[in-house]
Amino acid sequence: MRHWLSELLGRPVEFDLSHDRALLLPIDGLESGLGGLSDTELAEESRILKRRVQDGTEPGLLVAEAFALSREAARRAIGQRPFDVQILAGLAIHRGRVAELATGEGKTLAAVAPAYLHALLGRGVHVLTFNDYLARRDARWMGPVYERLGLSVGYVQEGMMPTERRRAYRCDVTYVTAKEAGFDYLRDGLAPDESEQVHRPFYFAIVDEADSILIDEARIPLVIAGDAGPGSNLVGPERMAAVARQLLPKVDYDTDEYQHNIALTEAGIARAETLLGCGDLYASDNLVRLAQLRNALHAQCLLARDVDYVVRGGKVELVDDFTGRVADKRQWPDGLQAALEAKEGVQRQREGRILGSVTLQHFLRQYPHLAGMTATAQPAAEELEQLYGLRVTVVPTHRPMIRVDDPDVVFTHQDAKRAALVGEIAGVHATGRPVLVGTASVGESERLADELRVKGVPCEVLNARNDEREAEIVAHAGALGAVTISTNMAGRGTDIRLGGPDEDAADREKVVGLGGLYVIGTNRHASLRIDQQLRGRAGRQGDPGRSRFFVSLEDDLIRRYGVQNLITARSLPPRRDLPVEGKLIRTEIARAQRIIESETYETRKTLYAFSEPVEAQRQAIRRRRQETLERQTPLDGLAELCPERYASLRPQVGETVLREVERRLSLLVIDRCWSEYLVEVGEMRDDSHLLAFAGRVPLSAFIRQVGVAFMALEERIDEEMARIFETLAVTPAGVDWEAAGLRAPSATWTYLVGENPFGVSGYAGPVTRSQLSFAVAFLWPLVLLSGLAHLWKRRQRRKQEPAK
């Protein structure tokens, strides 16, 4: 019925698994025949299967054999025989689906069979995890299974040397975070020699925590930066922070209803001009000051310490709203990072010239074959299909889910909610039942922990300050008497076992008798999926469990999005300490979540629309650079651009030297011009956003501008090559690139850019579905094609000129 209803509504969600279930019988039959083989004979069966695939047999024709082999290997190697539901999830992954498998159902093992089958081609399979710990853990945990079958397994960690990374990527199966794989892709795009690139051509990726990585994280740009030239740093963020502190809310500036944007009033403009002594703040020569002042105000008023960021080790570190963790190596864009550092009085972090950038979304679309797995895919199903062409397959649980999900407990104010929370946790703890509490911020988790300790309730705290202890803390959350206070649980990746990590039989029975893990949420999250992930920590593998959310009408989510305004005055009770009864308030809170999810979806659409044409250009430039790097096409540009200089040097230094000079010079100039182009595009994007204030959608103007700019880019590359070559000192030994001032950056580093701290309305302007479809499907391909046609015609004319 659910499958029929999903099809009727046009939702890309599959509930009917009859096709995959039909394969369970032949898999079981083949597996029983493998049980009597020795380990050597089992490995030989795998080698035979590999030869058949590499001889041209379609992997889809060998599903039963491959899944049976991997199941038997798992039983022998790690003592775990995949359940039927794990096989069903693996079959969905093999078909290029996102398998929705409940928390605790064994997604890590479910991915082994499809990874093994696709790895038989020898083209490499990447299992993309949420963090380094999971990449290392899963590779070591599942490694013996692959090795029994004659395949190699590797993993990549931050800090590894290029040789180690290259070795890991050459393995049949590689476990790596999506971000680290993306950063390696960017580094490969700057490599001076093919031997220094670590990736091989992409083939198949299985994305763990698929909704978090493919949706929540995918809009975030990955950036590689290098040494900056003089004068690249922003001017005076410390001074701007001091000015911002002197401006008064409601007098000098106002914020919008969602606390996304901040705008100076007429009085504020006059006061800022006086404090800065700069004259007209909106004059063209003051635009940098205006942007810095806006950043300083945003940092001062709209970003909260221990909520949006933490200060740790003398650094400002962004806290990921979806996971509650410090967002590793992520910075806010457009000077906001420097403004926050000035606000907090910490040492400024180095800034540099952006050498390359790609969003995770565009990086992941480089894989010809993509699949995923997660516990919360259905709410993101439409977006997964629209952006990646991925349908969701819902896999049933191995044992019936018996967790009890209680309705929300709603209070009129924060103090009443907090008192009830402390009382509830203390009361449950007194029985010995383990409690997991999910909070919305670092500050809230620490305040709640302090209040519990005052009441004599010991607890562990997991938040962005101590996320290095994550696995240890989460593993013990199911122990008898445990109380764990955590920020959001998205992507934690560690099972909570009743009785503790070793599942002591006696303790487990006691916890089961007490009703299992009790999960409490202290706030509703902006994303319903995050709430579901928190609930999903209880009730794994048919265990008992319970979940409940405590909500107040003063919660940030409620205030920021004006949920009170959705509730009629008759239904809105006066301030009281007891919970508010009535279904209407809970219904309106759920409606607010849907509104917020719709808003964040619009943000992602807008950012996607702005990034898509630049991504197409990036791929065109990368192809040109890679062809130069690999010498796939004859290099005759310098001979055409500077025929006299080229001809005079040929007898002096030789053709081989000139070819190598041209290759190296081409790479350096392409990299430099592309870096400058990214700055130019950023300025175009910022300028086009100003059109939003005039009620116009800036997307079309931006696409036209970058189209024209891209036409000029390749001309600029050729002009730069010619200009440099005319005066370049070329000897039979080649070129001293350092002396010529043409060295590559002596240092590079990677980071992520916060996706959009300024909100849709003030930053990019909302984009309607029809506008987005028109822009993505029609405008930018035409611009790109016309640009490429223009460049091709110009080259053809140039080639014909010497013959005239």
Side-chain angles (χ1 to χ4, degrees):
M1 177 63 72
R2 285 188 302 170
H3 182 77
W4 177 83
L5 185 61
S6 179
E7 290 290 322
L8 182 66
L9 297 175
R11 295 190 68 223
V13 182
E14 299 174 346
F15 295 94
D16 182 6
L17 303 180
S18 56
H19 176 270
D20 290 336
R21 287 186 184 278
L23 286 168
L24 289 175
L25 190 60
I27 290 172
D28 286 344
L30 289 167
E31 181 194 0
S32 62
L34 298 171
L37 299 181
S38 66
D39 289 348
T40 302
E41 290 170 329
L42 190 72
E44 179 58 29
E45 289 293 324
S46 181
R47 280 192 290 273
I48 292 170
L49 203 64
K50 185 174 184 177
R51 281 198 297 271
R52 290 173 62 189
V53 170
Q54 295 184 347
D55 285 344
T57 304
E58 284 292 327
L61 300 176
L62 303 173
V63 169
E65 292 95 324
F67 275 61
L69 277 166
S70 66
R71 198 179 210 180
E72 177 62 19
R75 184 187 67 79
R76 297 186 188 193
I78 60 174
Q80 295 183 27
R81 178 182 179 273
F83 301 128
D84 283 355
V85 294
Q86 290 172 303
I87 294 295
L88 291 173
L91 290 168
I93 291 168
H94 162 68
R95 291 190 290 114
R97 302 289 193 262
V98 174
E100 182 178 273
L101 199 60
T103 301
E105 291 291 301
K107 291 187 288 293
T108 305
L109 183 55
V112 170
Y116 164 66
L117 174 56
H118 284 269
L120 293 174
L121 278 168
R123 297 175 60 184
V125 172
H126 293 174
V127 182
L128 302 178
T129 65
F130 201 85
N131 57 43
D132 270 358
Y133 161 73
L134 293 175
R136 182 176 65 253
R137 183 203 69 176
D138 293 353
R140 291 174 176 174
W141 183 13
M142 297 295 129
V145 182
Y146 296 112
E147 288 161 3
R148 289 252 178 168
L149 297 168
L151 298 185
S152 57
V153 184
Y155 62 89
V156 176
Q157 303 278 274
E158 183 184 354
M160 275 186 170
M161 298 300 291
T163 51
E164 297 175 287
R165 293 171 181 272
R166 194 176 302 110
R167 190 181 307 119
Y169 286 124
R170 292 301 184 273
C171 290
D172 295 306
V173 180
T174 306
Y175 287 81
V176 57
T177 67
K179 295 174 205 172
E180 204 61 34
F183 285 139
D184 283 330
Y185 175 72
L186 288 175
R187 282 186 282 259
D188 281 355
L190 295 171
D193 193 88
E194 191 179 359
S195 64
E196 294 185 32
Q197 295 183 317
V198 299
H199 274 302
R200 51 178 166 163
F202 296 129
Y203 169 58
F204 183 53
I206 300 173
V207 185
D208 195 6
E209 302 294 349
D211 57 327
S212 293
I213 293 175
L214 294 175
I215 300 297
D216 301 330
E217 295 279 321
R219 64 196 184 279
I220 300 171
L222 309 177
V223 174
I224 185 167
D227 300 320
S232 64
N233 287 337
L234 294 172
V235 181
E238 292 78 13
R239 185 184 177 196
M240 286 300 178
V243 170
R245 283 191 286 269
Q246 297 179 64
L247 300 181
L248 302 175
K250 306 293 186 185
V251 177
D252 296 321
Y253 59 85
D254 291 311
T255 58
D256 69 5
E257 59 177 325
Y258 297 136
Q259 296 289 293
H260 278 164
N261 299 289
I262 195 162
L264 290 167
T265 63
E266 289 295 329
I269 294 169
R271 182 166 172 76
E273 289 170 348
T274 300
L275 291 169
L276 291 169
C278 65
D280 182 4
L281 190 57
Y282 285 82
S284 59
D285 56 347
N286 280 329
L287 290 180
V288 172
R289 288 188 180 91
L290 177 61
Q292 286 185 265
L293 179 58
R294 184 168 183 255
N295 279 332
L297 282 169
H298 193 97
Q300 185 69 35
C301 307
L302 302 185
L303 294 177
R305 183 169 177 166
D306 292 340
V307 177
D308 301 297
Y309 65 93
V310 296
V311 178
R312 187 171 68 170
K315 296 180 181 179
V316 170
E317 298 183 309
L318 186 154
V319 174
D320 190 298
D321 184 46
F322 290 98
T323 68
R325 298 185 183 92
V326 162
D328 183 44
K329 296 165 66 175
R330 190 181 303 177
Q331 296 180 10
W332 276 278
D334 305 321
L336 186 56
Q337 182 79 18
L340 268 170
E341 289 162 353
K343 169 189 174 182
E344 294 295 340
V346 301
Q347 183 177 356
R348 292 269 303 280
Q349 300 301 302
R350 63 179 176 177
E351 298 174 48
R353 180 164 54 98
I354 293 178
L355 304 175
S357 177
V358 66
T359 63
L360 268 174
Q361 180 184 96
H362 288 121
F363 166 67
L364 292 168
R365 288 170 63 185
Q366 303 293 312
Y367 288 90
H369 303 280
L370 190 66
M373 51 189 182
T374 183
T376 48
Q378 288 188 67
E382 282 81 6
E383 202 164 347
L384 287 168
E385 183 180 50
Q386 182 178 4
L387 296 180
Y388 302 96
L390 293 172
R391 294 177 65 86
V392 171
T393 298
V394 180
V395 181
T397 56
H398 176 56
R399 295 190 179 95
M401 173 70 74
I402 60 173
R403 183 187 69 233
V404 176
D405 295 328
D406 291 324
D408 295 356
V409 185
V410 183
F411 295 86
T412 57
H413 57 289
Q414 285 276 10
D415 290 344
K417 181 184 83 168
R418 200 156 49 244
L421 268 170
V422 172
E424 178 81 353
I425 295 166
V428 173
H429 171 68
T431 69
R433 185 178 189 177
V435 182
L436 172 66
V437 185
T439 63
S441 69
V442 174
E444 184 189 13
S445 67
E446 293 177 344
R447 287 191 298 271
L448 180 58
D450 289 341
E451 292 180 36
L452 287 171
R453 288 169 185 141
V454 169
K455 293 286 186 181
V457 179
C459 57
E460 284 276 12
V461 179
L462 172 57
N463 60 35
R465 294 193 200 280
N466 64 344
D467 53 1
E468 68 279 355
R469 294 185 57 221
E470 175 180 313
E472 174 193 347
I473 293 173
V474 173
H476 286 85
L480 195 65
V483 176
T484 308
I485 314 296
S486 173
T487 47
N488 298 323
M489 297 297 296
R492 294 293 179 192
T494 303
D495 284 339
I496 298 177
R497 301 178 185 275
L498 301 188
D502 298 326
E503 287 192 296
D504 177 87
D507 284 353
R508 174 179 166 78
E509 286 305 312
K510 289 178 184 177
V511 173
V512 169
L514 292 167
L517 180 66
Y518 184 19
V519 171
I520 297 175
T522 66
N523 296 266
R524 279 292 188 170
H525 194 272
S527 169
L528 179 62
R529 285 184 287 112
I530 306 302
D531 291 343
Q532 292 175 342
Q533 286 168 358
L534 178 60
R535 286 193 194 276
R537 307 309 299 186
R540 59 176 290 278
Q541 288 288 324
D543 286 341
R546 181 184 177 194
S547 72
R548 169 170 281 179
F549 283 84
F550 284 63
V551 181
S552 118
L553 298 180
E554 293 180 347
D555 288 349
D556 180 67
L557 180 78
I558 308 299
R559 287 187 299 101
R560 179 172 290 190
Y561 293 94
V563 176
Q564 300 97 319
N565 301 330
L566 302 176
I567 304 170
T568 61
R570 184 171 24 175
S571 303
L572 194 64
R575 187 181 177 93
R576 53 191 272 187
D577 292 335
L578 294 175
V580 176
E581 298 298 331
K583 185 179 179 182
L584 177 62
I585 293 177
R586 290 195 294 268
T587 300
E588 293 301 340
I589 291 172
R591 183 151 73 102
Q593 282 185 302
R594 292 194 296 272
I595 292 170
I596 297 163
E597 288 187 328
S598 176
E599 179 190 302
T600 57
Y601 176 49
E602 290 300 320
T603 301
R604 289 192 291 268
K605 282 202 307 181
T606 299
L607 294 170
Y608 171 79
F610 273 87
S611 66
E612 189 71 357
V614 181
E615 170 62 16
Q617 295 170 351
R618 187 196 64 76
Q619 289 185 21
I621 288 294
R622 188 178 178 107
R623 282 193 296 271
R624 173 177 174 175
R625 189 188 192 280
Q626 192 67 24
E627 287 171 359
T628 302
L629 191 71
E630 297 173 357
R631 299 184 179 90
Q632 291 180 352
T633 56
L635 292 169
D636 55 6
L638 288 179
E640 294 179 3
L641 292 167
C642 309
E644 293 180 8
R645 168 80 166 153
Y646 195 93
S648 66
L649 282 173
R650 183 185 291 140
Q652 299 175 32
V653 302
E655 187 75 24
T656 302
V657 169
L658 283 175
R659 291 289 183 181
E660 178 56 26
V661 167
E662 178 171 358
R663 189 189 73 88
R664 181 72 180 271
L665 181 59
S666 296
L667 296 176
L668 287 169
V669 171
I670 288 171
D671 292 344
R672 178 183 292 181
C673 289
W674 178 249
S675 176
E676 293 168 354
Y677 181 73
L678 289 177
V679 175
E680 185 181 350
V681 166
E683 291 171 352
M684 290 179 199
R685 186 174 56 241
D686 293 342
D687 291 344
S688 68
H689 296 155
L690 297 176
L691 297 175
F693 293 106
R696 296 168 56 192
V697 176
L699 178 60
S700 298
F702 173 73
I703 290 175
R704 284 193 295 271
Q705 285 180 312
V706 296
V708 173
F710 187 69
M711 292 180 193
L713 173 62
E714 194 156 329
E715 289 185 8
R716 189 157 75 245
I717 291 172
D718 289 346
E719 290 166 0
E720 274 293 287
M721 284 184 62
R723 183 186 66 80
I724 294 170
F725 183 64
E726 287 288 358
T727 59
L728 194 63
V730 184
T731 70
V735 172
D736 185 341
W737 300 101
E738 187 80 22
L742 294 170
R743 66 173 177 82
S746 60
T748 61
W749 58 96
T750 55
Y751 60 90
L752 295 93
V753 174
E755 72 283 0
N756 182 11
F758 302 114
V760 175
S761 58
Y763 184 67
V767 178
T768 66
R769 184 180 299 274
S770 60
Q771 291 161 344
L772 175 69
S773 300
F774 178 75
V776 171
F778 183 71
L779 277 178
W780 71 258
L782 280 183
V783 170
L784 179 62
L785 288 173
S786 64
L788 294 176
H790 170 80
L791 294 173
W792 180 81
K793 288 177 182 177
R794 182 174 57 81
R795 285 190 167 190
Q796 292 300 110
R797 284 198 303 270
R798 191 169 60 201
K799 287 181 178 180
Q800 293 169 6
E801 284 170 1
K804 290 180 181 179

